[in-house]
Amino acid sequence: MITIGNSNHWLSEQATMQPNSQAIITSEKIFTYSEFYEECLGVLSYFDQLGIKEKDHVGILFGHNYKFFVIVNALWLIGAVPVPLNTRHTTKEIQNQLRQADIKFLIIDETLKSQFASLIFQNKTYLNKVTKCEVRSTKFNILHSAFCTQHSAL
């Protein structure tokens, strides 16, 4: 878990101290710290189901968008190491980066599925979108409304 000066993740801290303040502004919506944190917890729960653990290196093939920031913070909450990969690289270049960075899981934006269809990797997941749902996770002590991922079959 990434911490700044204390034992809490920065986002958890902000969601508690100023839950209704603006955290992220996109072209579609303004997200408060509370909404952003809830969404990160939902993705964290999904990543926990995938088996992502503290110190795991997780490759991320996403454009520069809101989902990318949710994924990075969910991984930080777990204590995993996010490894952003350049979507402009070839499949061969990415294959080499996966080996060099000791990647255990790879999260790919569903919109890039055809671009990276030939990428061979055992723990590869395509993330589609995030929707509101109920989350229950005893490992991370989550029992409230959050955001869950929808993913496609590989």
Side-chain angles (χ1 to χ4, degrees):
M1 175 189 309
I2 291 182
T3 59
I4 300 177
N6 60 30
S7 62
N8 293 325
H9 183 278
W10 76 271
L11 185 54
S12 168
E13 226 174 54
Q14 293 306 309
T16 301
M17 292 185 337
Q18 50 183 353
N20 298 316
S21 294
Q22 295 178 357
I24 295 183
I25 301 170
T26 70
S27 58
E28 292 87 31
K29 183 179 178 183
I30 296 173
F31 294 88
T32 66
Y33 281 105
S34 178
E35 291 170 323
F36 183 48
Y37 183 58
E38 290 283 318
E39 194 158 341
C40 292
L41 290 178
V43 173
L44 175 151
S45 179
Y46 171 66
F47 288 166
D48 181 43
Q49 292 172 21
L50 290 178
I52 296 174
K53 298 183 290 302
E54 187 175 355
K55 298 183 182 175
D56 283 347
H57 291 197
V58 181
I60 307 168
L61 273 169
F62 266 77
H64 188 80
N65 58 38
Y66 176 72
K67 287 190 290 186
F68 173 81
F69 293 106
V70 171
I71 290 166
V72 167
N73 279 279
L75 291 170
W76 282 340
L77 283 163
I78 291 172
V81 179
V83 181
L85 301 166
N86 192 331
T87 59
R88 294 182 180 153
H89 285 173
T90 66
T91 300
K92 184 177 179 181
E93 290 171 318
I94 290 173
Q95 221 46 87
N96 288 333
Q97 291 171 344
L98 295 174
R99 273 191 299 279
Q100 291 172 350
D102 191 29
I103 302 296
K104 294 197 174 165
F105 295 89
L106 179 60
I107 311 297
I108 304 174
D109 190 332
E110 174 75 22
T111 62
L112 302 173
K113 190 173 186 174
S114 62
Q115 181 180 345
F116 296 107
S118 64
L119 189 62
I120 299 168
F121 193 77
Q122 184 177 356
N123 295 318
K124 176 170 64 171
T125 298
Y126 292 96
L127 188 62
N128 184 358
K129 62 181 179 176
V130 180
T131 55
K132 194 146 183 147
C133 66
E134 288 297 316
V135 171
R136 295 183 188 277
S137 172
T138 54
K139 182 174 182 180
F140 294 102
N141 197 23
I142 302 168
L143 179 59
H144 51 79
S145 179
F147 291 80
C148 297
T149 59
Q150 291 183 349
H151 59 282
S152 63
L154 300 179

